[in-house]
Amino acid sequence: MIVKISVVRADESIVEKAVEELENIYTFLDFEIIEEKLPIERAYDSFRDQYVASKIVRMSADGSFKVVVTSVDLYENPLNFVFGLAIPVLRTAVVSYFRLVGENLIVRLEKEITHELGHLFGLDHCNNHCVMRFSNSVYEVDLKPVKFCEKCYSSLLRFLENFS
């Protein structure tokens, strides 16, 4: 299955490093990095100085499985910020590394891309030691693994089998 990784207002070299690691872990997925010219200024909320995540997802959706990766600060009401957001019916998600900066940026980005892909592939948040665990801070992102727990991984494989 092909998953498009759309680079929008982001450093492509950072995205490439994260995707390279994901390709080593999830060999059953084919990642394709694309540059997309999205008018994301339409998603900008000047009052909050942030971008509405769902608006970016909707403007990028094209029917393919896709994760938009950006460096802009995202939010979605009622939350103050989000690392990412997936809309499974649109097969599209967005992930921002705005709040993931630091020496662990690449692995944090891997985790958040994987997390949002999990939602696109039918997974909910999980309470196990799992990449699908909800993260409300960078500290919580650092605590979770880059991989799915056994339960979520089984559900993921069932989704992919039924999809193809």
Side-chain angles (χ1 to χ4, degrees):
M1 171 182 293
I2 294 173
V3 175
K4 292 180 183 177
I5 304 294
S6 173
V7 180
V8 177
R9 284 206 202 163
D11 183 331
E12 190 167 347
S13 66
I14 291 171
V15 178
E16 285 172 351
K17 288 176 190 171
V19 169
E20 187 177 307
E21 292 300 318
L22 291 173
E23 287 174 327
N24 292 331
I25 297 170
Y26 303 107
T27 56
F28 50 86
L29 296 174
D30 293 316
F31 294 95
E32 178 186 336
I33 297 175
I34 62 170
E35 262 194 74
E36 200 169 16
K37 302 279 190 239
L38 292 181
I40 66 169
E41 59 279 354
R42 292 183 192 162
Y44 183 66
D45 181 333
S46 60
F47 179 75
R48 293 181 62 142
D49 194 27
Q50 292 176 295
Y51 293 75
V52 181
S54 59
K55 287 185 178 181
I56 294 173
V57 169
R58 291 183 202 298
M59 68 177 67
S60 180
D62 62 8
S64 62
F65 284 101
K66 184 191 293 185
V67 179
V68 176
V69 180
T70 187
S71 64
V72 302
D73 195 15
L74 302 175
Y75 84 97
E76 192 67 31
N77 280 324
L79 302 172
N80 290 328
F81 73 91
V82 292
F83 296 119
L85 178 82
I87 302 180
V89 70
L90 297 178
R91 296 184 180 173
T92 304
V94 62
V95 171
S96 172
Y97 61 79
F98 181 87
R99 295 174 184 265
L100 301 175
V101 295
E103 67 181 65
N104 296 324
L105 170 60
I106 301 302
V107 73
R108 289 171 180 159
L109 185 55
E110 285 174 58
K111 290 175 185 183
E112 292 309 307
I113 291 171
T114 302
H115 180 94
E116 298 308 332
L117 276 174
H119 287 313
L120 294 182
F121 296 152
L123 301 178
D124 292 320
H125 288 136
C126 177
N127 290 323
N128 296 329
H129 186 63
C130 179
V131 74
M132 290 309 296
R133 190 174 192 90
F134 177 78
S135 299
N136 199 36
S137 68
V138 174
Y139 174 75
E140 291 175 350
V141 172
D142 287 342
L143 288 178
K144 68 183 178 183
V146 73
K147 294 185 179 183
F148 297 98
C149 69
E150 197 172 306
K151 177 181 151 257
C152 288
Y153 190 70
S154 295
S155 296
L156 171 73
L157 291 180
R158 273 195 306 281
F159 175 90
L160 294 174
E161 285 173 11
N162 291 335
F163 185 80
S164 52

